[in-house]
Amino acid sequence: LIVEDEPDLLETCVRLLRQVGHSCLMARSGREAIALIDAEHPDLVVTDLRLPTINGLAVTRHACHASPPVPVVLITGYTSTEAKQEAQAAGALVFLPKPFTAAEFMDAVNRALGISSA
């Protein structure tokens, strides 16, 4: 599940994941993301920190408390130490600052999924 309110970045993330065989759900708001987590039980959530309706920290907490828990990659342009600490406290496995490269994105996804990038 990719949660991003910037259409270009959303499409880029989806394209990168589909190129390596992942299927993707998309949400443009925190509220939509939480509904999809509950309904679809994704294997991974990649969420922006700043979102309409409900922020990425709330999405992260919801994903981490789902049954079963869903790993989270939190992406943000707000890369303060405080933001990173808040992301980790909410349960994000990977904190990925924007802008990032395709390789950095895929590495973050693979780490969150427990896939070695040999």
Side-chain angles (χ1 to χ4, degrees):
L1 171 60
I2 309 298
V3 190
E4 174 59 62
D5 60 332
E6 294 176 33
D8 290 343
L9 184 54
L10 176 66
E11 291 302 321
T12 297
C13 292
V14 168
R15 182 179 41 78
L16 290 169
L17 290 170
R18 286 184 176 156
Q19 284 176 348
V20 295
H22 294 289
S23 58
C24 297
L25 299 167
M26 295 175 274
R28 295 180 194 268
S29 73
R31 181 168 287 124
E32 185 181 0
I34 285 172
L36 283 169
I37 291 166
D38 291 343
E40 301 292 334
H41 311 288
D43 295 326
L44 174 70
V45 172
V46 176
T47 184
D48 194 1
L49 176 60
R50 303 266 172 124
L51 294 167
T53 67
I54 297 171
N55 71 26
L57 293 175
V59 171
T60 299
R61 283 190 289 274
H62 189 82
C64 292
H65 289 98
S67 183
V70 181
V72 177
V73 173
L74 196 135
I75 58 177
T76 185
Y78 302 92
T79 57
S80 68
T81 302
E82 181 182 341
K84 186 172 185 175
Q85 289 171 341
E86 287 176 341
Q88 290 170 336
L93 290 179
V94 182
F95 182 83
L96 183 61
K98 292 179 187 176
F100 47 81
T101 66
E104 290 168 334
F105 175 73
M106 292 309 301
D107 180 60
V109 166
N110 288 336
R111 282 187 291 148
L113 289 173
I115 300 170
S116 120
S117 53

